[in-house]
Amino acid sequence: MKKALEFLKQLEKNNNREWFARHKPEYDLIVKENKVFFDQIYTELQEHDNLKGIHIYRIYRDVRFSKDQTPYKNNFGVGYSRSKPMLRGGYYIQIEPNNSFVGGGFWGPEAKDLLRIRKELELNTAAIEKITSDKTFLQYFGNIEGDAVKTAPRGFDKNHPAIDLIRKKQYVVMRKFTDKEVLSSNFQKEAILTLLAMRPFFDYMSEVLTTDLNGEPLF
């Protein structure tokens, strides 16, 4: 992690193809070491969940439709997907100077899934409130985050008690880590504990998205 953070700090100051080309061997070595770290977490997580795969994100940015034309991301990221359709939610780890975090959830749910989640929250929030008020959830994540529409979605009452949750377009949780914590020998253990702490949230969402409003299975 020390090599990774130092490389990313230098990349932030020299985000151009010429500098990156000169340091490509160093980058390749860090990617190889990162893969070992990420694979170890996958193996541990797989003992507690049913994962479909691991995706280590490339550092190259897609600048085709972006005002920011810098060619490289300033982070290393990895995602762990669960086995659909019965298990929902995705895990994510990002390593970035002063912006590392372990998180997960539902970044871009399909329209039908988003509507199903909103309908469930409109009907009853007791289950999700129990999860988000848990001591570990509060300690690690604080609350459910994510982008939201400005007002109530079409067909929903803007005065509904749970409108702040219903308005969301994403349902994600995140635990941030300082550079010092990332460099700690305890980081891998804490990352795994954080990922496992998402399970009650994921299990709730999985139940919602695999049943109809009457609780009847869809699959």
Side-chain angles (χ1 to χ4, degrees):
M1 288 299 113
K2 184 176 182 180
K3 292 178 184 178
L5 288 176
E6 287 300 325
F7 180 87
L8 292 170
K9 288 176 182 178
Q10 291 300 313
L11 178 60
E12 187 175 17
K13 299 174 184 177
N14 304 277
N15 200 324
N16 60 77
R17 291 179 175 82
E18 294 75 19
W19 183 90
F20 191 85
R22 292 197 303 271
H23 292 82
K24 185 66 162 48
E26 180 184 354
Y27 166 76
D28 289 339
L29 179 59
I30 292 171
V31 169
K32 185 177 180 180
E33 293 174 344
N34 278 353
K35 188 176 187 306
V36 173
F37 176 80
F38 293 142
D39 282 346
Q40 288 173 345
I41 292 179
Y42 177 88
T43 299
E44 178 71 21
L45 196 58
Q46 185 73 289
E47 293 183 6
H48 304 275
D49 205 339
N50 189 346
L51 302 181
K52 183 177 69 173
I54 176 174
H55 180 79
I56 298 177
Y57 291 90
R58 303 177 71 212
I59 201 167
Y60 307 97
R61 297 183 62 249
D62 183 353
V63 299
R64 291 175 298 172
F65 309 105
S66 175
K67 292 181 180 179
D68 181 0
Q69 291 294 299
T70 52
Y72 307 105
K73 302 173 186 175
N74 195 40
N75 63 70
F76 293 112
V78 61
Y80 305 97
S81 57
R82 305 177 80 208
S83 296
K84 287 186 175 181
M86 300 308 296
L87 302 179
R88 304 298 181 90
Y91 302 101
Y92 182 75
I93 298 175
Q94 176 170 298
I95 304 300
E96 180 178 341
N98 302 309
N99 190 36
S100 297
F101 66 88
V102 176
F106 303 78
W107 300 90
E110 297 177 2
K112 64 177 184 178
D113 285 348
L114 181 58
L115 179 61
R116 176 66 183 90
I117 293 169
R118 286 171 168 170
K119 286 289 187 181
E120 184 69 26
L121 295 172
E122 180 184 44
L123 186 66
N124 188 354
T125 59
I128 193 67
E129 287 174 357
K130 182 178 179 180
I131 292 167
T132 56
S133 63
D134 177 77
K135 182 179 178 181
T136 300
F137 185 96
L138 291 172
Q139 177 187 349
Y140 284 177
F141 311 119
N143 51 49
I144 296 175
E145 302 180 28
D147 293 341
V149 296
K150 292 182 179 180
T151 185
R154 181 178 299 177
F156 292 87
D157 181 2
K158 66 180 181 179
N159 296 314
H160 191 283
I163 194 60
D164 286 344
L165 277 176
I166 293 171
R167 288 193 306 111
K168 290 188 179 299
K169 297 184 292 183
Q170 303 169 315
Y171 295 85
V172 296
V173 295
M174 180 188 306
R175 180 187 178 188
K176 294 186 176 181
F177 287 83
T178 65
D179 288 357
K180 183 178 180 180
E181 289 171 330
V182 170
L183 294 174
S184 166
S185 61
N186 207 38
F187 176 59
Q188 183 171 318
K189 177 182 177 181
E190 286 299 317
I192 292 169
L193 289 174
T194 304
L195 295 170
L196 293 177
M198 300 176 200
R199 280 296 301 278
F201 172 50
F202 282 8
D203 290 346
Y204 164 77
M205 285 292 201
S206 295
E207 183 175 354
V208 169
L209 294 173
T210 57
T211 61
D212 63 19
L213 276 174
N214 293 318
E216 294 296 325
L218 297 175
F219 303 97

